[in-house]
Amino acid sequence: MTTKPKAKKFRIRRSVPHGATDSASAVAATNARPAADGTTPVPPSPPKPKPKPVPKAAVPAKPVAAAQTESPDADIDAIKREGLTGRQLRLARRMAQKHGLAATSDYDAIRLLRNAGIDPFQRTNMLDLLPNEQSAGGDAGGEVKGGSNKMSIGRIQLPQTMPVDKNTLPSTETRSPSEMRAMEIGEIQKDIMRRRRKRLVLLLARLTAFVFLPTLFAGWYFFSVATPMYATKSAFLVQQADSTGGTGLGALLPSQLNANQDSIAVQDYLTSKDAMIRLDNDVGFKAHFSSAAIDPIQRLDEDPSNEEAYKLYKKFVKIGYDPTEGSVRMEVIAADPAVATAFSMALITYAETRVDTLSRRKRADQMRDARRSLDEAKEERREAQRSLVEKQQSNVVDPQAVIASQRQQISNVQIQLQEKELQLAALLDNLRPNQARVEGVRGDVRRLNDLLTKLEYEMSEAIEGEASLAAQAAEIQIAQADLATADLMMQSALTTLKQTELEASRQVRYLTRSVEPVASEDASYPRSFENTVLAFLIFSGIYLMISLTASILREQVSS
């Protein structure tokens, strides 16, 4: 072990990094004062911004004269006894390589750096570890060569010994290390408080600019500037006629559910541009909302277009449909309660007209089809009757009766002929027949055969040929069948017409007013308190989103 050289009077000058706080400067200045006994105090490690485990502070650089007298082995042994971590050793080796120091080991790198006056455990930016162009160019102020004590410009170095001026006297102030540490802690706490107050003031300024002032302006508008608006509420139902005669599932459902399509159609019409234009022509919607008594935000221009008026119409005319009850609720807002009531009455009148138009057209279409079918059936029946009468006039009234009479005559002649033939056979069976009687019976047989032949010929004439009685009878039967079919068609058309009339009467829609529009005495809008709170929440949410986005982007850019 070598003995330390006698302590000399000297001042410690410590370079402060760029951007360091005032508290760190105060701590460095306090540590730079020599103690009362003339010895050099050990400089405390700078405060860490994050609560990470703090490694042991590096041993301050020894005076150059003392460092040259001691042997390298003794310095390395002393460095080993400091209990440095592996990370600190690797950092020292990289820094020695950066400054061009030929170190045989990590501990030797620490020794060489301290002899060169460089803090091996200094916190630097990662970009500083890259070789600099000035250091590569051999600038005398940018690198350390041959163990000389030249330092890079702007680099944070260990405390350096400075010769004491002869005219400078030592300080008479004597403080114990605990007092000095307490003073340093107090300065750090004051600096932290100053930073916190500054951040709090900046936060309040941002909140005032982006949240409080816009909310105050919105509240001033809602409470002082906004024109009071009066709302008129009404409700009506679109009902179907009594459908007790209906069948199927539709008869089991309530009439509100059966008429929901018409209710939706009425709602769509009342919220359409057509209804707005009709309301403006009848009552003067644009003229009312263009009045100078309304505040500029809610007021229309002098000559607004239909699109601008329609945007305001959708805002001040609110219509909703409840499918469970089948009720259409309407709320009309205007600057005058009487005007709001007039608007509501006009819209209900438009709804009644629309409902009547929809049901009337449907019923008219159904009845027109049924009547047309009945007229066609009547015309076909009339044609069938005319054809039957014409056939009966041009031919025998009843060809079938004539044919049946002829058949009856033939049958009677055949019976008589058989009797005469039997009688002739009986006379011929006698041994001595009466010749006169035989001749008479033979004459009767001959006459009957001639009559039978004539009747059969007439019968064949009546059956065969285009003008025969059979053809005439067939034509008459066809005409009668056509007439019967026409009768059935006409009867079916009559039944269909009756059913269509009943169905059309059941499909009639009626608009029933469940709530009549009544003018309100107090203004319903604007809801000043609720709107102001809503504006505050909206501005706060916007500010919070912007702040979070900016913080995330700042963190990403800095990392």
Side-chain angles (χ1 to χ4, degrees), residues 194-247:
R194 284 195 298 270
R195 290 184 180 182
R196 288 181 178 177
R197 283 195 295 269
K198 183 178 179 181
R199 291 179 180 177
L200 182 60
V201 170
L202 292 177
L203 177 61
L204 291 177
R206 289 194 297 269
L207 289 176
T208 302
F210 296 104
V211 178
F212 297 144
L213 286 180
T215 304
L216 182 62
F217 178 76
W220 169 74
Y221 168 76
F222 290 127
F223 279 97
S224 303
V225 180
T227 303
M229 294 291 177
Y230 299 86
T232 300
K233 296 182 179 181
S234 59
F236 54 87
L237 299 172
V238 179
Q239 294 181 341
Q240 187 178 0
D242 187 15
S243 58
T244 55
T247 59

Side-chain angles (χ1 to χ4, degrees), residues 238 256-268 321 358 362 509:
V238 179
Q256 290 85 356
L257 295 181
N258 290 333
N260 58 353
Q261 295 180 354
D262 295 329
S263 300
I264 294 173
V266 171
Q267 179 187 3
D268 294 339
Y321 172 68
L358 293 175
K362 188 175 183 180
R509 300 291 189 269

Side-chain angles (χ1 to χ4, degrees), residues 61-76:
K62 299 179 181 180
V64 178
Q68 293 176 355
T69 57
E70 294 182 355
S71 62
D73 296 336
D75 293 341
I76 292 175

Side-chain angles (χ1 to χ4, degrees), residues 302-465:
E302 291 296 333
D303 190 12
S305 62
N306 291 333
E307 285 71 19
E308 295 177 355
Y310 182 60
K311 291 180 181 179
L312 193 68
Y313 176 82
K314 291 190 294 184
K315 179 180 178 183
F316 289 102
V317 177
K318 303 176 181 178
I319 300 176
Y321 172 68
D322 187 1
T324 58
E325 299 178 0
S327 175
V328 179
R329 296 181 176 87
M330 181 172 61
E331 181 181 9
V332 181
I333 304 171
D336 189 358
V339 175
T341 305
F343 287 170
S344 182
M345 293 293 295
L347 290 175
I348 291 177
T349 304
Y350 301 160
E352 291 177 347
T353 305
R354 177 61 59 176
V355 170
D356 294 340
T357 302
L358 293 175
S359 59
R360 187 186 304 114
R361 182 176 180 181
K362 188 175 183 180
R363 285 181 284 126
D365 293 341
Q366 292 178 351
M367 293 299 298
R368 183 175 63 253
D369 295 338
R371 289 193 178 95
R372 184 172 62 251
S373 299
L374 180 61
D375 294 339
E376 292 177 357
K378 288 180 179 180
E379 185 65 26
E380 291 178 359
R381 184 177 182 278
R382 190 176 294 109
E383 291 293 334
Q385 287 179 341
R386 187 181 297 109
S387 176
L388 178 60
V389 170
E390 290 177 356
K391 291 182 182 302
Q392 288 178 351
Q393 288 178 355
S394 60
N395 299 321
V396 180
V397 177
D398 191 0
Q400 294 291 338
V402 175
I403 294 174
S405 174
Q406 290 181 355
R407 287 177 179 175
Q408 184 67 29
Q409 291 177 7
I410 292 173
S411 178
N412 293 333
V413 171
Q414 287 177 352
I415 293 173
Q416 292 177 6
L417 180 59
Q418 290 177 358
E419 290 178 354
K420 292 298 181 180
E421 287 179 352
L422 291 174
Q423 184 178 0
L424 178 60
L427 291 176
L428 294 177
D429 287 340
N430 295 327
L431 296 176
R432 292 180 179 181
N434 189 350
Q435 193 65 29
R437 294 185 62 183
V438 171
E439 292 296 333
V441 173
R442 285 179 178 175
D444 293 336
V445 170
R446 186 177 61 255
R447 286 189 294 273
L448 288 175
N449 287 326
D450 294 338
L451 180 60
L452 181 60
T453 302
K454 180 180 179 182
L455 290 175
E456 288 180 353
Y457 176 77
E458 292 177 357
M459 185 66 183
S460 63
E461 289 291 334
I463 293 175
E464 297 177 358

